[in-house]
Amino acid sequence: MPSPTEFEAFQRLLAQSKHIIAVAGAGLSAASGIPTFRGDGGMWRKYDAMALATPEAFASYPSLVWQFYHYRREAALKAQPNAAHYALGMLSVPEIRQKIAPESTFTLITQNVDNLSPRANEKIFAAYEATPPVDPPHLIEMHGRLFDLRCSRKKCKHTEFNTSSPVCEALAGTEVLIENQEMDADIPREQLPRCGKCRCLARPGVVWFGEIPHHLPLINNLIAEADLCLVIGTSSTVYPAAGYAAEVKDNGGKVAVFNLESTDPDEDADFLFVGPCEELLPKALGLDVMHLLG
């Protein structure tokens, strides 16, 4: 656990900062029970989970890829935002932020697609009767959303938000196959999720490897202006997000890292808080989130 002196020094920096960003990765949602599919836990059934997150995998094996994302959707639907989600959500409320970082702006740039940050924010903005900021935005989901259904037909590309469980009847129950070690179900294409507009095959609305993340021009502008970057629950291995903290640092800004374990890129941080981010982040920000949990 970092010392009280470290927390106090960070809070003094926070109070002086005017353009604050946070870059969040899978570690932010780990305490909510969301699998990271990285490192030793990077396998789903007998498959490399990262190999399934490609346009090529979907084109060749749409049934298998949809089972993987159905499994992830079901896990996310059962999960609840944790204290770190709520701390970032409270930092997004101008009336709260002005007490700890006067006259500042804040944007969370998340690589997560699990909808937990939006759910936390919705609860917080309702509780405080606040309006979500739009300039700059309080949240950017750069890798898309797990609950978006996007048409796979290039001429259509219709996208709609869908939290149905299951997303289609043919996928119902396939999430338990991993527990029973059964054979993968080979679901016909016509029974997989369909576009709500043209009825062609739909795909998960996430950014796959080899695709361009969302809102990059806006993110680049925020990075250029930022004087404080919070790095939360990310191993800084997936670009372009992996380079954002270094860009802020190169521009003269400060970097604070909140990670369960220290990684090589963390050594250049001005502040390094090693431990569960759901414990360290609220304490570092000086925010009480206990009334929001449960």
Side-chain angles (χ1 to χ4, degrees), residues 130-280:
T131 301
V134 294
D135 187 21
H138 66 290
L139 174 66
I140 297 175
E141 296 171 283
M142 66 179 298
H143 288 169
R145 304 191 297 183
L146 191 58
F147 296 99
D148 275 349
L149 293 185
R150 176 179 154 195
C151 186
S152 62
R153 190 167 69 98
K154 292 183 178 180
K155 291 184 178 180
C156 180
K157 290 188 177 180
H158 172 72
T159 300
E160 61 186 57
F161 189 71
N162 182 316
T163 57
S164 298
S165 174
V167 64
C168 70
E169 288 303 319
L171 288 168
T174 58
E175 69 274 12
V176 303
L177 293 178
I178 186 172
E179 300 172 2
N180 298 336
Q181 297 184 355
E182 296 178 4
M183 295 294 291
D184 301 314
D186 188 10
I187 301 171
R189 289 173 64 97
E190 59 270 17
Q191 295 180 25
L192 293 172
R194 316 305 292 180
C195 171
K197 184 177 181 180
C198 73
R199 305 308 298 167
C200 287
L201 179 66
R203 54 162 283 181
V206 300
V207 176
W208 281 328
F209 290 101
E211 296 181 329
I212 300 174
H214 300 323
H215 312 298
L216 286 185
L218 173 58
I219 292 173
N220 290 336
N221 288 339
L222 292 170
I223 298 297
E225 293 181 353
D227 54 7
L228 175 59
C229 177
L230 311 180
V231 179
I232 304 162
T234 174
S235 57
S236 297
T237 56
V238 178
Y239 284 84
Y244 290 158
E247 289 186 48
V248 172
K249 188 84 170 172
D250 289 344
N251 292 337
K254 302 295 185 181
V255 174
V257 173
F258 298 80
N259 261 336
L260 191 58
E261 299 175 346
S262 179
T263 62
D264 289 340
D266 298 340
E267 295 178 359
D268 294 328
D270 298 282
F271 291 89
L272 176 58
F273 298 100
V274 177
C277 61
E278 67 275 11
E279 297 178 12
L280 297 180

Side-chain angles (χ1 to χ4, degrees), residues 29-48:
S29 296
S32 297
I34 301 295
T36 63
F37 297 110
R38 296 285 171 84
D40 293 338
M43 299 301 291
W44 177 75
R45 302 187 187 167
K46 58 182 179 290
Y47 304 100
D48 178 352

Side-chain angles (χ1 to χ4, degrees), residues 84-163:
H85 291 110
Y86 286 121
L88 291 169
M90 290 183 69
L91 192 61
S92 301
V93 178
E95 291 80 2
I96 298 174
R97 189 174 63 254
Q98 299 316 309
K99 297 176 182 178
I100 58 176
E103 300 179 359
S104 65
T105 63
F106 172 70
T107 298
L108 168 60
I109 303 168
T110 184
Q111 301 171 79
N112 297 335
V113 298
D114 52 36
N115 199 40
L116 292 182
S117 287
R119 285 168 56 189
N121 289 353
E122 183 178 1
K123 183 174 181 178
I124 289 169
F125 282 108
Y128 289 92
E129 298 181 347
T131 301
V134 294
D135 187 21
H138 66 290
L139 174 66
I140 297 175
E141 296 171 283
M142 66 179 298
H143 288 169
R145 304 191 297 183
L146 191 58
F147 296 99
D148 275 349
L149 293 185
R150 176 179 154 195
C151 186
S152 62
R153 190 167 69 98
K154 292 183 178 180
K155 291 184 178 180
C156 180
K157 290 188 177 180
H158 172 72
T159 300
E160 61 186 57
F161 189 71
N162 182 316
T163 57

